[in-house]
């Protein structure tokens, strides 16, 4: 396999840094090729702005259109082009990050905002009576897999079905479905470490063991079965899920899972 | 009223810039005081790192603890202290942003990551058998109100109950409940402009009129009735919602609404 790890933590000696280092070691020992985008070490620019689009930045700036024109001309900034090339090189993408305020840190969101440009990650494919662009099951990154590896400060019960923060699968849905599945990546079930703020040494060993297990089964793990957009489940162009496809009583994000 | 608008769009002439300018004009004309944090104009640093905590950055870095010690010593960086002071000055906070990849732009997430420090926005209050810290209905910003003003590229149907992106209220829950309600802000129903990528002039007039209406009723609009953490609805410390409090069949984020 060819694996890209995008890593977003400011402290190399953190749990996140350790999980990233361990992933590199385990995957390389298993004969895979690994590249790492260590966003803090790269001093990654987080804010998308006109400078990203060079001569294609119009005035007033149009983020989608200008980014798409710069992409098509091959004139996005070198840092963004490098990340797009890594995504096209990889067959598997791992995002390693701490859950800060219920989502990814700003530096990683800025990687998404700047790298997932129009014509690369969205605005891909034709619109017709049966297709609403290539996304959610199709797209530039189709055929590849993605995995979130997330550390969470609070205990698991706070993120359970009745937990005060909301279910972890719902908190991660906008990332897993909205960011990763959108441009075509198949998303594996997330690897989540709870109670990360106070991880006892014996629990750390168990976490590392579980992480190795996930890393060594990347190729055989079943992805989350999100519904594909253009294959009959949704009305086009309203993109409503057709009535009757879900189990009785199911609502919310989970509607978009096949069963 | 004293209103803080936190604005996150790189183009002053964008719809977001226009809604921000209009809010300032309407609110000042109504006799209110308004301050604006225009994050792009301020060249806001998005990535939380050791430099934020000055002499309180430990090695290895501990983001929560170090940020809390720097906060308590009054030695966070000047940009972060200024934003915390604005939040304490304001009685109402408006976040103005485009929905990028189903959440806020990186620069705004970086405002949250850096300004909402330990001991200021979390890690506040005591833990006991009946209290799990002061949050979700209590906290540093209790007694204040917040409002999201969000532009969304896609049509409303894609964000409806059965829409492919998931319901907009669920997409905004991690921000409204997890970021704003957490430190005590009461959250008003969001102002959402759909189809923002192709807004016809006549629709723009209707949007502006609806926006004015929301701005002029900030004081009388009922907040989203999220459940308070420490007042009997949740088991402590598991923070599970007690059984039987919700309407039959309700699941997911909506469990955390009173009814």
């Amino acid at each position: 396999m060819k694996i890209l790890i995008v890593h977003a933590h400011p402290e190399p000696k953190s749990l996140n840094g350790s999980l990233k280092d361990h992933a590199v070691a385990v995957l390389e020992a298993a004969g895979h090729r690994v590249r790492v985008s260590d966003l803090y070490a790269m001093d990654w620019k987080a804010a998308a702005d006109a400078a990203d689009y060079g001569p294609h930045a119009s005035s007033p700036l149009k983020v989608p259109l200008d980014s798409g024109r710069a992409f098509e001309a091959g004139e996005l900034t070198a840092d963004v082009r490098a990340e797009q090339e890594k995504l096209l090189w990889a067959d598997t993408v791992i995002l390693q990050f701490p859950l800060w305020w219920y989502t990814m840190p700003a530096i990683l969101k800025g990687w998404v905002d700047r790298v997932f440009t129009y014509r690369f990650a969205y605005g891909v494919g034709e619109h017709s009576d049966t297709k609403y662009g290539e996304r959610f099951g199709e797209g530039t990154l189709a055929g590849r897999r993605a995995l979130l590896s997330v550390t969470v400060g609070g205990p698991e019960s706070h993120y359970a079905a009745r937990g005060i923060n909301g279910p972890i699968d719902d908190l991660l849905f906008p990332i897993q479905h909205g960011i990763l599945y959108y441009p075509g990546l198949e998303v594996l079930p997330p690897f989540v470490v709870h109670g990360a703020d106070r991880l006892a040494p014996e629990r750390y060993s168990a976490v590392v063991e579980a992480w190795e297990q996930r890393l060594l089964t990347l190729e055989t793990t079943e992805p989350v079965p999100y519904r594909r957009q253009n294959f009959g489940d949704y009305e086009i162009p309203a993109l409503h899920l057709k009535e009757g496809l879900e189990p009785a009583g199911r609502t919310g994000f989970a509607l978009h899972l096949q069963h």
Side-chain angles (χ1 to χ4, degrees), chain A:
Chain A
M1 289 191 293
K2 292 181 283 185
I3 298 133
L4 170 63
I5 302 176
V6 184
H7 173 59
H9 197 287
E11 173 54 61
K13 291 179 184 159
S14 62
L15 176 59
N16 276 270
S18 169
L19 293 173
K20 179 263 291 174
D21 290 343
H22 202 70
V24 173
V26 167
L27 292 168
E28 288 186 341
H32 304 301
R33 293 166 66 193
V34 184
R35 294 169 77 176
V36 177
S37 291
D38 182 342
L39 298 182
Y40 274 95
M42 293 156 74
D43 197 17
W44 180 260
K45 172 180 180 276
D49 61 20
D52 293 345
Y53 314 135
H56 302 280
S58 55
S59 182
L61 184 71
K62 299 280 189 192
V63 170
L65 296 180
D66 296 353
S67 75
R69 291 188 300 124
F71 168 73
E72 288 177 334
E75 294 183 324
L76 289 162
T77 52
D79 60 347
V80 170
R81 280 187 281 121
E83 296 306 303
Q84 292 182 339
E85 283 159 20
K86 289 179 205 173
L87 283 166
L88 295 173
W89 166 84
D91 49 51
T92 307
V93 181
I94 297 174
L95 305 187
Q96 175 70 56
F97 62 95
L99 198 72
W100 284 356
W101 294 103
Y102 303 103
T103 185
M104 51 175 63
I107 200 168
L108 180 54
K109 182 59 177 22
W111 180 83
V112 174
D113 288 346
R114 296 184 59 233
V115 174
F116 280 37
T117 65
Y118 197 65
R119 297 301 185 204
F120 177 75
Y122 68 111
V124 173
E126 296 306 311
H127 284 62
S128 70
D129 290 350
T130 56
K131 264 187 99 142
Y132 195 93
E134 291 172 8
R135 55 179 204 163
F136 296 120
E138 300 173 281
T140 299
L141 301 178
R144 295 168 173 79
R145 316 186 123 209
L147 170 67
L148 301 185
S149 173
V150 186
T151 66
V152 178
E156 189 163 2
S157 68
H158 297 191
Y159 296 84
R162 299 183 72 79
I164 193 166
N165 296 324
I168 190 72
D169 283 342
D170 284 350
L171 291 169
L172 297 181
F173 179 89
I175 302 174
Q176 299 205 132
H177 182 267
I179 292 175
L180 299 172
Y181 189 59
Y182 188 113
L185 290 156
E186 294 289 335
V187 184
L188 304 184
F191 179 71
V192 180
V193 180
H194 285 280
D197 283 347
R198 292 181 189 78
L199 203 62
E202 66 276 14
R203 246 203 91 217
Y204 178 72
S205 307
V207 163
V208 165
E209 200 173 316
W211 183 220
E212 279 187 29
Q213 195 54 33
R214 289 301 306 272
L215 291 165
L216 295 174
T217 53
L218 286 173
E219 287 165 298
T220 53
T221 301
E222 281 297 312
V224 180
Y226 293 125
R227 297 176 188 274
R228 303 174 80 194
Q229 176 185 269
N230 294 325
F231 295 82
D233 284 1
Y234 296 93
E235 308 284 356
I236 292 176
L239 296 182
H240 281 177
L241 183 66
K242 291 178 182 170
E243 295 289 340
L245 295 187
E246 74 277 15
R250 183 173 288 185
T251 59
F253 293 150
L255 283 177
H256 305 289
L257 296 171
Q258 301 169 41
H259 67 282

